[in-house]
Amino acid sequence: MVADSLIIFCLTLAWLLPLAGCVVISVLRLKLSRLSAVPGWIGTGSLLVAFCLSLISAGVWLMTSPAETAALQASNVSDVAAHETGNLLQRRLVGHWYSLAKFGEIDFPLGYAIDALTVLMFVLVTMISLAVHAYSLVYMADEQTESYQDHHLDHSAGETSERPGRFAHFYAALGLFTFAMLGIVLAHGLLQIFVFWELVGFSSYLLIGFYHERRTARLASMKAFLMNRVGDVGFVLGMTILLATCGTLLLYPVHDLNGTTASSVPMALPEAFQAAVEKAVPSQAIHDQANLIPTEQGISYALLVAAGLGLLAGCVGKSAQFPLHPWLADAMEGPTPVSALVHSATMVAAGVYLAARIAPLLLPEALLLLAYVGVVTLLLGASMAIVARDLKLVLAHSTISQLGLMLLGIGVGAWEAAIFHLITHAFFKSLLFLGAGSVIHTTHHEQDLEKLGGLRAHLPLTSLTMLIGVIALSGLAVPYVTIFGESLGFSGFHSKDAIVSGTMAFVLKNPHHILLLISVLLGACLTAAYSLRLWLKLFARDTPVDPALQQVHEGPWLMTWPLVVLAFFAAFCALGGEEGFVSTLVEESLSPAPAWFSDSTGEVVSIQWTNASERHAVHGTAGAMALAAAWLGALIAWALYGLQAISSKDLSHQLTPLVRLASHRWHFDTLYRGFLVLPILNLARHTAWIDRILIDPFIDGCARLSERFSHASQWFDEAMINRFFDNMASSIWASGLSLRKAQTGHIRQYVLLATMAVIVLFLILFAWMPGDRAGP
């Protein structure tokens, strides 16, 4: 068990190192000059060590996994044998560090759950974060100053362009962000995931609003924060329902050193949820009994569906899915390295990652809804990307679209394919964002595609690496040329094929959902079209559109080597396709399908789910259809922007209504403003009017009345009460002065007065005494 302890130690340390870097930078920035690059090197160094520790963990895991599997098979441990998936045996390390709170049998521990996907995600996140940290040493170097000039400010709105540099602040926020994302990956309970989930949202708020002097950046960060909170309300409701119905929020049981489940630990959430599903009472029966949760018969099936929908609401918000997708495009207000990190392997990926982890907790109704949400988002994002003029906006809309494709995969039951695409997407999308950053940096922050172009000769390495990313994103491959039994293509081709195969297998068993397959093929065509359009507009012309751009050149090695490394993995990380190394690790680590997944158990919908063999059976056909759609989109883009055989302006003019809708992001911002923002502002305005016209005068009148009453009370106190007591005191004082004259000090006078007083008393006494009345 030394290997297990080493893995746990390395991953825990790799998780904490970015936080340590954040704390050190935050302390040192109070003492270091703003000109110093030390904060950047501290942040980069902490990520370098974290990445190395993740690699060590991966190596130890791969070396010990076969031996561990053989030992478990020899010991016939029933709990582990129950998790067999095909020829692979799941291996998971689960434990607790500390118990946050305990209420009876319900425990909320701080712990870890490590499997092959955890190790893979640690390597992925730390690698991309390290690339972004190193890249930012050059890209954010202009923040190393006492007086930073921001030329993107609106001076007419009173925004001042001069401020102190925030180089240390940037790296501290990056470290906090990476720590939060790794915390989500390492966590083994929904409550622990939610804590780091919120920390990811907070740190992204800091990064998106990094240029907070700009009004657009402030609004973008607030928009991202609030839209994510909308989804998080559903997350909390889902957790509450699961805690009430299942009694736990832990995703995995804790095993002892022999591999058996600890007897003192309650049932894990997937098993408890499955037991709850088996005892669930149909909603109609509950309605007839006028009893929401009859304790003798079980719980409401609708309540279990609501739990899954609540959790998915959090995933939809975090992954910028319809209808909570508008925030992601505005998040481009942050620095470009932030976009590469946030929109590739971290924040937006967290929603898809969690959706795959909780897939056994999603009933058919929730999964089908998720599939259609993914399809709508896929097409919305692609349509917006194909007309966007801003370089970063194209990639932002592309991210929205690709995340929709991943959630579609989860919705049709192919969650292994969704995570497979999540990993490949992390590489090629971070490559494209950093490539875009290289273009923006060398062209003095120019992002308009209509003003760029002809940069291939000036930025040869950037153009080549971005071409690799574009091909991977497009899902293109060379037909009839195979390697390791798969068509010759880059990573995106293999992972997209897996999702399309899952969708086709699902549609073959559920023909009434044919719209899902048509939409995913249309999405593949649009993806290839906007991807190649982006590259052609940037690099295809012979000379730059703007003569001032003819002097640009590649950036320093700290900006170029991340592009080369990411381009390599974008091309070859999915080598072997669904039978390759990455896909195999993903399949090994994800939880197996629950028992109800093999039949149609939905109360509202009737779904026939597919298995891996059925998806593999249609892989060839699905791959050919997806490849044909991708090549069709690529040829259209080549004809429009490469050969220019068709005028793109004429085509846009003929499709003006659609182009206008897509250019305005389908007016979602307008709809939200009209149906949510403005009504709330109007309500606030009317509330302020009521406060100003009614409440304030009433309160002010009460205050004035109290003031006048206090004045009257003061007059009464001074004129009556005080004067009465003052007069009484004066009278007593005067009496005292008068009696004082009788005090002469002569004893004879005192004796005479005493004698006279006695005589007077006797006279009074005898005068009042009754006389004797003699009888006759």
Coordinates of all heavy atoms in Angstrom, one line a residue, residues 7 53 158 199 218 288 296 358 366 384 386 432 437 472 491 555 560 577 582 604 638 652 656 698 728 746 772:
I7 N 0.6 8.1 -4.0 CA -0.4 8.7 -4.9 C -1.2 9.8 -4.1 O -1.3 10.9 -4.5 CB -1.3 7.7 -5.5 CG1 -0.5 6.8 -6.5 CG2 -2.4 8.4 -6.3 CD1 -1.2 5.7 -7.1
L53 N 4.4 16.5 -9.6 CA 3.8 15.6 -8.7 C 2.6 14.8 -9.3 O 2.4 13.6 -9.1 CB 3.3 16.4 -7.5 CG 4.4 16.9 -6.5 CD1 3.7 17.9 -5.5 CD2 5.1 15.8 -5.9
G158 N -15.7 58.9 -18.3 CA -15.0 59.3 -17.1 C -14.0 58.2 -16.6 O -13.6 58.3 -15.4
L199 N -15.9 28.4 -4.9 CA -14.6 29.1 -4.9 C -14.1 29.3 -6.4 O -13.5 30.4 -6.7 CB -13.6 28.3 -4.2 CG -12.2 28.9 -3.9 CD1 -12.3 30.3 -3.2 CD2 -11.3 28.0 -3.1
R218 N -16.5 45.2 -15.6 CA -17.3 45.1 -14.3 C -18.6 44.4 -14.6 O -19.0 43.5 -13.8 CB -17.5 46.5 -13.7 CG -16.2 47.2 -13.3 CD -16.6 48.4 -12.4 NE -17.4 49.4 -13.1 CZ -16.8 50.4 -13.8 NH1 -15.5 50.5 -13.9 NH2 -17.6 51.3 -14.4
D288 N -52.9 10.9 -5.7 CA -54.2 10.3 -5.3 C -54.3 10.1 -3.8 O -55.4 10.2 -3.2 CB -54.4 8.9 -6.0 CG -54.6 9.1 -7.5 OD1 -54.9 10.2 -7.9 OD2 -54.3 8.1 -8.2
E296 N -44.2 4.6 4.4 CA -44.3 3.1 4.2 C -43.9 2.7 2.8 O -43.4 1.6 2.6 CB -45.6 2.6 4.6 CG -46.0 2.8 6.1 CD -46.6 4.1 6.3 OE1 -46.8 4.9 5.3 OE2 -46.8 4.5 7.5
I358 N -22.1 12.4 -11.7 CA -23.4 12.2 -11.1 C -24.3 11.5 -12.1 O -25.5 11.5 -11.8 CB -24.0 13.5 -10.6 CG1 -24.3 14.5 -11.7 CG2 -23.1 14.2 -9.5 CD1 -25.1 15.7 -11.3
A366 N -34.4 13.5 -16.7 CA -33.3 14.4 -16.5 C -32.3 14.3 -17.6 O -31.8 15.3 -18.2 CB -32.7 14.3 -15.2
M384 N -23.5 31.4 -33.6 CA -22.9 32.7 -33.2 C -21.4 32.8 -33.6 O -20.9 33.8 -33.9 CB -23.1 32.9 -31.7 CG -24.6 33.1 -31.3 SD -24.8 33.5 -29.5 CE -24.4 31.9 -28.8
I386 N -20.0 31.5 -36.2 CA -19.7 31.5 -37.6 C -19.9 33.0 -38.1 O -19.5 33.3 -39.3 CB -20.6 30.6 -38.4 CG1 -20.0 30.2 -39.7 CG2 -22.0 31.1 -38.5 CD1 -20.7 29.0 -40.3
L432 N -5.8 27.1 -29.0 CA -6.4 28.2 -29.8 C -6.5 29.5 -29.1 O -6.2 30.6 -29.6 CB -7.8 27.7 -30.3 CG -7.8 26.6 -31.3 CD1 -9.2 26.2 -31.6 CD2 -7.1 27.1 -32.6
G437 N -4.0 34.7 -28.2 CA -3.3 35.7 -27.4 C -2.0 36.1 -28.0 O -1.6 37.3 -27.9
A472 N -8.2 19.9 -35.2 CA -8.7 19.1 -34.1 C -10.1 19.5 -33.7 O -11.0 18.6 -33.4 CB -7.8 19.2 -32.9
S491 N -7.0 14.7 -32.3 CA -7.8 14.3 -31.2 C -9.3 14.5 -31.2 O -10.1 13.7 -30.9 CB -7.2 15.0 -29.9 OG -7.3 16.4 -30.0
G555 N 6.4 36.0 -30.6 CA 6.8 36.4 -29.3 C 8.0 35.6 -28.8 O 8.5 34.6 -29.5
T560 N 5.9 30.8 -27.0 CA 5.8 29.9 -28.1 C 5.9 28.4 -27.6 O 5.2 27.5 -28.2 CB 6.9 30.1 -29.1 OG1 8.2 30.1 -28.4 CG2 6.7 31.5 -29.8
G577 N -8.1 6.3 -30.7 CA -9.5 6.5 -30.6 C -10.1 5.9 -29.4 O -9.5 6.1 -28.3
V582 N -6.2 7.1 -23.5 CA -7.0 8.1 -22.7 C -8.4 7.6 -22.6 O -9.0 7.6 -21.5 CB -6.9 9.5 -23.4 CG1 -7.9 10.5 -22.7 CG2 -5.5 10.1 -23.4
V604 N -42.3 9.7 -17.1 CA -42.8 10.6 -18.1 C -42.4 10.2 -19.5 O -43.2 10.2 -20.4 CB -42.4 12.1 -17.8 CG1 -42.9 13.0 -18.9 CG2 -42.8 12.5 -16.4
W638 N -13.7 27.0 -47.1 CA -12.6 27.2 -48.0 C -13.1 28.0 -49.3 O -12.4 28.9 -49.8 CB -12.0 25.9 -48.4 CG -10.9 26.0 -49.4 CD1 -10.9 25.7 -50.7 CD2 -9.5 26.4 -49.2 NE1 -9.7 25.9 -51.3 CE2 -8.8 26.3 -50.4 CE3 -8.9 26.8 -48.0 CZ2 -7.5 26.7 -50.5 CZ3 -7.5 27.2 -48.1 CH2 -6.8 27.1 -49.4
S652 N -24.0 36.6 -46.9 CA -24.5 37.2 -45.7 C -25.7 38.1 -46.0 O -26.7 38.1 -45.2 CB -23.5 38.0 -45.0 OG -22.4 37.2 -44.7
T656 N -29.6 37.7 -44.4 CA -29.5 38.8 -43.5 C -30.3 38.5 -42.2 O -29.8 38.8 -41.1 CB -30.0 40.1 -44.2 OG1 -29.2 40.4 -45.2 CG2 -30.1 41.2 -43.2
F698 N -43.5 59.5 6.1 CA -44.1 59.0 7.3 C -43.1 58.9 8.4 O -43.3 59.3 9.6 CB -44.7 57.6 7.0 CG -45.3 57.0 8.3 CD1 -46.5 57.4 8.9 CD2 -44.6 55.9 8.9 CE1 -47.0 56.8 10.0 CE2 -45.1 55.3 10.0 CZ -46.2 55.7 10.6
M728 N -40.0 74.3 46.2 CA -40.1 73.6 47.5 C -38.7 73.6 48.2 O -38.6 73.8 49.4 CB -40.5 72.1 47.2 CG -40.6 71.3 48.5 SD -41.0 69.6 48.1 CE -42.6 69.8 47.5
H746 N -28.0 80.1 74.1 CA -28.2 80.4 75.6 C -29.0 79.3 76.2 O -30.1 79.0 75.8 CB -28.9 81.7 75.8 CG -28.1 82.9 75.2 ND1 -26.9 83.3 75.7 CD2 -28.3 83.7 74.2 CE1 -26.4 84.4 75.1 NE2 -27.3 84.6 74.1
D772 N -65.4 64.8 85.0 CA -66.2 63.8 85.7 C -67.7 64.2 85.7 O -68.0 65.3 86.1 CB -65.7 63.7 87.2 CG -64.3 63.1 87.2 OD1 -63.9 62.4 86.2 OD2 -63.6 63.4 88.2

